[in-house]
Amino acid sequence: MDLNEIKKLIQEEKAKIIITDPNGISLIVLDYEEYKKLKGIKSTKEEVRETPKELDSEPLKVDDLPF
């Protein structure tokens, strides 16, 4: 599954991805709009940024992860 497929799943299905390690849940990945709702953050024009084109076309690989 590449990054665009993951983004589509999260945005369209309002899915959340839970990443665990031996100690339990370590990360939860969710749509930014969903995050803002949870935190009570209002949208502003300043926070709208374009995704760099190289990130849209490149599939995410395990080697990209910071471990």
Side-chain angles (χ1 to χ4, degrees), residues 5-49:
E5 291 171 318
I6 293 169
K7 285 170 46 178
K8 183 177 177 180
L9 177 69
I10 290 172
Q11 291 170 341
E12 290 180 2
E13 303 294 326
K14 299 296 182 206
K16 294 166 184 68
I17 298 174
I18 299 172
I19 301 172
T20 63
D21 61 25
N23 297 320
I25 296 174
S26 61
L27 296 170
I28 299 177
V29 181
L30 65 144
D31 179 65
Y32 185 55
E33 292 302 317
E34 198 66 24
Y35 168 78
K36 290 191 304 185
K37 286 179 193 174
L38 290 170
K39 297 295 284 181
I41 299 170
K42 294 182 181 175
S43 295
T44 64
K45 289 187 178 185
E46 292 85 40
E47 68 187 27
V48 176
R49 293 184 209 126

